[in-house]
């Protein structure tokens, strides 16, 4: 692939334009890299330079390091682990504003597959130490041809960025570089067909500290061992590209055309119809990437067109130098002085007398016996007569420390914590007799000082969430099954492309983070006595997710509650069936009794009518009988 704008072509030498970019960016952070390496050394407990160690050994002074920086850094690092955050995607469409469950669940699945929390915590630790941390979000095709999500922490010493970038997390950077040393065998596996000299970007002058500069060069035409290292550069940058918006002559609708397409279409229309399209010329940003050695190894579009795949987390801004720093910079001087004063104190103690005597010759009867018995409290040390009265023996004076020496040492030790802004409560300590409420308030006050670091982490998740969203929509929406955690239980659903392409990225505290669960559970314990009767049983089961109980215990309780609900539902259904049967029997009984009463009433009515008819007949017969005949008795 060839690009006339940048001059990049596979197998051709790297254009000077890119070399100048890299050298400017490298020189801008050269001093910062020296300080960053020292920051890592201090956290690891190596807090003396080589010259200082040689000087102390020459003077036979103790090399003392009580590393108080690492616990402070670890306390803030632990706060990040205990306050995880999650990414939610809200579609920009008409209707209620609520997260898209499939996209949000796919993002959680993406992060779980990539073990994102571990790598991002490591990048956050880098930021606390040296001022900047990096991750790379990509799709790995080597282990799975369908693509495996990857979010990996990148060593800050391998990263270079636009020297003119000023915004937090380098969101306004025009380019980023990753220059790393890898074995030549790995480089040849990544880019076959290139010789070692072509794979090694010597123009970067990035070398390992342990590398021997006088090592002989390997003949390019011969076989190499594969263990030698070469410098490989992964570059991503922004270019501005022109395009046109015009009416498509074929479809009659507004369409987008590249410069080449627009010119070609106009040329054909002019030949055939004698007219040209009337379009609007616009500019847009496009992201591209290349792998560079001494020559261009590959070149093409960046994996994500909206963000770099390398995303930074920045600490505090050094405005004058245009770089970033973390917690360690301010703690190094107090730690240095604490180490030196402790070393000086031990030297004074070691080099001065710790007991002993000043004695004149002849003060003891037997000098050897005096030397052996002086330190024995049960032995008798025999002296010449009058030696005690004449004060011929005197104890050696103890070592005297300079005035205020101890206070200076204590001040240096306390300043290590003071310069960081981390309170003793955040370190898990507290003053004797301190109330729990006051301890919580001081802990929250300490978090206020550290909020800029966590705010940068939140911004990082927004930038990285945009990269992740693009991968989910364009590279992973192939129908693969992803685990979606719903309100009731988890289920696997196919990941397919959504109709909505634009989403708002929302960063919120993860409800399952330890600190979030602890705070939510404490609040619920205060509300339950007052509102417990108003909460339905199903909601009580949901509240168990915020309890500090282990997740497997919560899951078992939820399963038991669900089984109990199912049993209760079955029992209620059976009771309803029995009630319906009883109701049917009662209805049948009532109907039979009603029919019986009806029959009885009809029978009684029939008898009454019969009697009435018989009496009417008898009366008619009586009136119709001949005269003179005796009357028949009415029966």
């Amino acid at each position: 692939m060839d690009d006339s704008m940048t001059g990049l072509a596979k197998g051709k030498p790297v254009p000077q334009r890119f070399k100048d970019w890299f050298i400017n960016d490298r020189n801008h952070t050269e001093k910062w890299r020296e300080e960053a390496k020292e920051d890592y050394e201090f956290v690891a407990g190596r807090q003396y330079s080589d010259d200082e160690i040689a000087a102390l050994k020459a003077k036979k002074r103790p090399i003392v390091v009580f590393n108080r920086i690492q616990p402070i850094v670890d306390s803030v690092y632990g706060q990040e682990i205990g306050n995880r955050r999650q990414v939610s995607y809200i579609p920009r469409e008409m209707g209620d504003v609520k997260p898209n469950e499939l996209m949000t669940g796919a993002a959680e699945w993406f992060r779980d597959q990539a073990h994102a929390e571990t790598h991002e915590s490591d990048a956050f630790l880098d930021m606390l130490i040296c001022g900047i941390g990096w991750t790379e979000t990509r799709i790995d095709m080597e282990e799975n041809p369908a693509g495996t999500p990857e979010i990996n922490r990148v060593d800050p010493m391998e990263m270079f960025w636009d020297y003119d970038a000023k915004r937090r997390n380098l969101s306004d950077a025009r380019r980023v570089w990753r220059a790393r040393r890898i074995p030549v065998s790995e480089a040849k596996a990544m880019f076959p067909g290139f010789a070692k000299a072509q794979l090694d970007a010597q123009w970067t002058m990035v070398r390992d500290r342990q590398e021997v500069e006088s090592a002989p060069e390997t003949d390019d035409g011969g076989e190499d061992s594969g263990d030698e290292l070469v410098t490989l550069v992964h570059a991503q940058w922004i270019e501005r590209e022109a395009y046109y918006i015009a009416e498509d002559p074929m479809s009659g609708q507004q369409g987008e055309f590249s410069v080449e397409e627009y010119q070609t279409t106009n040329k054909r229309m002019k030949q055939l119809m004698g007219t040209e399209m009337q379009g609007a010329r616009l500019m847009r940003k496009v992201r591209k990437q290349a792998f560079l050695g001494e020559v261009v190894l590959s070149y093409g579009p960046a994996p994500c067109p909206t963000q770099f795949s390398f995303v930074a987390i920045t600490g505090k801004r050094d405005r004058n130098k245009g770089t970033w720093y973390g917690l360690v910079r301010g703690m190094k001087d107090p730690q240095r002085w604490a180490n030196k004063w402790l070393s000086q104190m031990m030297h004074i103690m070691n080099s001065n007398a710790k007991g002993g005597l000043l004695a004149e010759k002849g003060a003891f009867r037997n000098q050897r016996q005096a030397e052996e018995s002086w330190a024995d409290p049960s032995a008798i040390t025999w002296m010449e007569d009058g030696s005690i009265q004449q004060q011929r023996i005197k104890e050696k004076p103890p070592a005297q420390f300079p005035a205020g020496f101890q206070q200076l040492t204590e001040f240096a030790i306390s300043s290590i914590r003071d310069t960081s802004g981390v309170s003793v409560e955040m370190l898990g300590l507290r003053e004797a007799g301190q109330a729990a409420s006051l301890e919580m308030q001081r802990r929250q006050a300490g978090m206020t000082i550290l909020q800029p670091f966590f705010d940068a982490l939140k911004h990082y998740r927004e930038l990285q969430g945009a990269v992740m969203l693009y991968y989910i929509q364009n590279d992973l929406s192939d129908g693969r099954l992803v685990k979606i955690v719903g309100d009731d239980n988890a289920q696997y659903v196919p990941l397919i492309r959504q109709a909505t392409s634009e989403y708002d990225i929302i960063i919120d505290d993860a409800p399952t983070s330890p600190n979030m669960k602890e705070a939510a559970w404490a609040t619920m314990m205060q509300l339950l006595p007052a509102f417990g009767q108003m909460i339905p049983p199903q909601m009580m089961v949901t509240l168990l997710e915020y309890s500090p109980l282990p997740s497997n215990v919560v899951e078992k309780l939820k399963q038991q509650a669900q089984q109990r609900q199912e049993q209760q539902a079955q029992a209620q259904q059976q009771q309803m069936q029995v009630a319906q049967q009883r109701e049917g029997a009662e209805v049948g009984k009532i109907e039979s009794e009603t029919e019986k009463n009806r029959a009885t009433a009809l029978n009684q009515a029939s008898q009454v009518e019969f009697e009435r008819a018989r009496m009417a007949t008898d009366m008619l017969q009586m009136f119709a009988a001949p005269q003179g005949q005796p009357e028949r008795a009415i029966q």
Side-chain angles (χ1 to χ4, degrees):
M1 180 181 293
D2 191 358
D3 191 293
S4 57
M5 181 181 297
T6 58
L8 290 172
K10 185 176 180 179
K12 299 297 183 180
V14 177
Q16 187 63 37
R17 172 190 178 190
F18 282 82
K19 294 181 179 180
D20 294 339
W21 279 355
F22 183 87
I23 292 173
N24 290 335
D25 296 341
R26 182 202 64 196
N27 293 341
H28 176 68
T29 59
E30 187 172 359
K31 182 63 176 178
W32 171 85
R33 293 179 186 280
E34 296 178 2
E35 295 178 354
K37 289 179 181 179
E38 187 180 58
D39 294 339
Y40 280 102
E41 291 285 334
F42 265 74
V43 173
R46 295 183 292 271
Q47 299 176 357
Y48 289 98
S49 65
D50 294 338
D51 294 338
E52 290 173 338
I53 292 175
L56 290 174
K57 287 182 176 180
K59 297 178 181 178
K60 296 183 179 181
R61 293 188 177 184
I63 302 173
V64 182
V65 174
F66 288 168
N67 190 358
R68 294 175 177 268
I69 292 180
Q70 185 174 3
I72 295 175
V73 173
D74 288 344
S75 68
V76 184
Y77 179 46
Q79 288 290 332
E80 188 277 329
I81 295 176
N83 291 275
R84 300 288 190 191
R85 294 191 171 187
Q86 64 180 5
V87 180
S88 300
Y89 297 108
I90 299 179
R92 295 179 185 173
E93 56 187 14
M94 297 294 292
D96 296 335
V97 178
K98 58 182 180 180
N100 184 299
E101 291 186 0
L102 179 60
M103 299 303 296
T104 301
E108 294 179 2
W109 169 83
F110 190 109
R111 293 176 58 80
D112 289 340
Q113 293 292 313
H115 305 288
E117 291 183 348
T118 301
H119 295 286
E120 289 176 348
S121 294
D122 289 344
F124 182 78
L125 179 61
D126 288 331
M127 182 266 290
L128 293 176
I129 295 175
C130 68
I132 190 168
W134 290 88
T135 64
E136 180 187 12
T137 305
R138 65 189 187 94
I139 304 296
D140 182 21
M141 298 294 183
E142 294 184 355
E143 295 186 359
N144 183 3
T148 302
E150 291 272 344
I151 301 177
N152 296 321
R153 173 253 181 191
V154 181
D155 188 351
M157 297 297 104
E158 296 179 355
M159 295 301 301
F160 301 82
W161 57 90
D162 180 9
Y163 69 90
D164 198 34
K166 299 292 190 298
R167 295 181 183 176
R168 175 169 292 180
N169 294 350
L170 305 176
S171 59
D172 59 338
R174 297 169 295 177
R175 55 188 175 268
V176 293
W177 316 76
R178 184 184 184 185
R180 56 181 177 140
R181 302 282 287 170
I182 63 174
V184 64
S185 58
E186 182 179 347
K188 287 188 174 183
M190 295 172 60
F191 304 100
F194 289 95
K196 174 181 176 293
Q198 294 176 309
L199 294 169
D200 192 7
Q202 297 184 6
W203 48 273
T204 63
M205 293 186 293
V206 176
R207 290 292 181 266
D208 287 344
R209 188 172 162 189
Q210 294 82 6
E211 183 181 2
V212 180
E213 295 182 358
S214 59
E217 294 291 335
T218 304
D219 186 10
D220 296 337
E223 296 292 333
D224 51 56
S225 63
D227 295 329
E228 297 182 53
L229 299 179
V230 294
T231 302
L232 188 67
V233 178
H234 184 184
Q236 293 184 357
W237 69 96
I238 294 176
E239 292 181 2
R240 282 176 170 78
E241 180 182 76
Y243 69 101
Y244 286 87
I245 297 294
E247 183 177 342
D248 192 338
M250 301 299 295
S251 63
Q253 298 179 354
Q254 290 287 334
E256 181 180 305
F257 299 86
S258 65
V259 176
E260 293 79 8
E261 293 173 345
Y262 185 80
Q263 293 175 351
T264 303
T265 304
N266 269 343
K267 183 177 180 181
R268 292 179 179 176
M269 288 183 63
K270 189 172 183 179
Q271 292 176 351
L272 298 176
M273 305 172 61
T275 60
E276 295 183 353
M277 288 190 302
Q278 299 298 323
R281 179 185 173 92
L282 302 175
M283 300 294 292
R284 63 184 171 191
K285 293 181 179 180
V286 293
R287 286 172 170 81
K288 297 184 179 181
Q289 74 169 1
F291 286 90
L292 308 175
E294 197 63 29
V295 299
V296 179
L297 304 176
S298 71
Y299 165 71
C304 176
T306 58
Q307 295 289 341
F308 293 133
S309 61
F310 295 100
V311 185
I313 314 173
T314 55
K316 298 182 179 181
R317 180 185 290 105
D318 188 336
R319 183 262 180 194
N320 292 341
K321 293 185 178 180
T323 55
W324 308 86
Y325 64 95
L327 282 178
V328 177
R329 175 185 286 189
M331 294 188 288
K332 286 193 297 186
D333 279 346
Q335 180 71 69
R336 273 196 193 95
W337 286 107
N339 292 338
K340 291 181 178 180
W341 284 332
L342 285 172
S343 177
Q344 181 70 15
M345 185 181 296
M346 294 181 66
H347 174 68
I348 293 174
M349 294 177 63
N350 292 336
S351 59
N352 283 272
K354 296 174 285 295
L357 294 174
L358 299 174
E360 296 179 357
K361 291 183 178 180
F364 299 101
R365 289 186 179 180
N366 188 333
Q367 185 173 347
R368 182 177 296 276
Q369 188 268 342
E371 293 176 355
E372 293 175 353
S373 63
W374 184 262
D376 187 356
S378 62
I380 299 176
T381 302
W382 297 100
M383 308 179 68
E384 293 291 346
D385 294 339
S387 296
I388 298 177
Q389 292 180 350
Q390 298 174 8
Q391 296 182 354
R392 301 173 63 185
I393 301 172
K394 183 180 180 181
E395 294 183 358
K396 289 183 178 180
Q400 297 293 329
F401 291 101
F405 192 85
Q406 184 175 356
Q407 288 80 356
L408 287 174
T409 306
E410 293 176 354
F411 173 75
I413 294 174
S414 63
S415 296
I416 298 174
R417 186 182 66 249
D418 295 341
T419 54
S420 68
V422 177
S423 61
V424 294
E425 287 77 14
M426 294 185 64
L427 295 173
L429 306 174
R430 68 169 185 172
E431 299 177 0
Q434 179 173 286
S437 59
L438 179 59
E439 179 182 356
M440 181 61 65
Q441 291 175 1
R442 290 184 176 180
R443 185 188 296 269
Q444 292 176 351
M447 285 298 298
T448 302
I449 299 176
L450 301 175
Q451 279 305 314
F453 296 111
F454 291 92
D455 187 58
L457 180 62
K458 180 180 178 181
H459 186 213
Y460 156 83
R461 295 196 191 280
E462 294 174 357
L463 299 176
Q464 193 274 334
V467 180
M468 192 164 53
L469 176 63
Y470 178 82
Y471 288 151
I472 292 173
Q473 289 181 314
N474 296 274
D475 298 328
L476 301 177
S477 296
D478 52 6
R480 70 182 72 195
L481 295 178
V482 297
K483 183 180 179 182
I484 305 297
V485 180
D487 295 335
D488 298 329
N489 52 14
Q491 57 182 344
Y492 284 91
V493 298
L495 181 59
I496 58 178
R497 188 175 179 86
Q498 300 292 295
T500 303
S501 60
E502 294 185 357
Y503 292 84
D504 289 329
I505 302 173
I506 305 300
I507 309 299
D508 196 7
D509 291 332
T512 56
S513 62
N515 287 9
M516 184 68 179
K517 290 171 65 175
E518 181 181 354
W521 187 254
T523 304
M524 285 188 293
M525 288 299 98
Q526 297 177 0
L527 297 177
L528 281 178
F531 301 97
Q533 300 297 330
M534 303 170 58
I535 301 177
Q538 295 83 357
M539 189 62 185
M540 295 296 292
V541 175
T542 304
L543 294 180
L544 285 175
E545 297 180 359
Y546 295 89
S547 68
L549 297 174
S551 58
N552 57 346
V553 176
V554 174
E555 189 64 27
K556 290 181 180 179
L557 291 175
K558 291 175 64 176
Q559 292 177 359
Q560 292 179 0
Q562 186 175 1
Q563 292 176 0
R564 182 175 297 179
Q565 290 179 2
E566 293 176 354
Q567 293 174 358
Q568 291 177 355
Q570 293 177 359
Q572 291 178 359
Q573 187 176 3
Q574 293 176 357
Q575 291 177 1
M576 290 178 62
Q577 292 177 354
V578 172
Q580 290 176 357
Q581 293 176 358
R582 290 180 179 177
E583 185 179 356
E586 292 292 338
V587 171
K589 183 177 180 181
I590 293 173
E591 290 179 351
S592 62
E593 290 180 355
T594 303
E595 190 66 27
K596 182 178 179 181
N597 294 336
R598 182 179 179 184
T600 303
L602 291 174
N603 188 18
Q604 292 176 356
S606 300
Q607 290 179 358
V608 171
E609 292 295 331
F610 176 75
E611 289 293 336
R612 288 178 179 177
R614 189 174 67 81
M615 291 177 63
T617 303
D618 290 344
M619 291 179 68
L620 289 173
Q621 290 178 357
M622 182 182 66
F623 287 110
Q627 296 293 330
Q629 291 186 0
E631 296 181 358
R632 189 175 59 182
I634 298 176
Q635 309 220 348

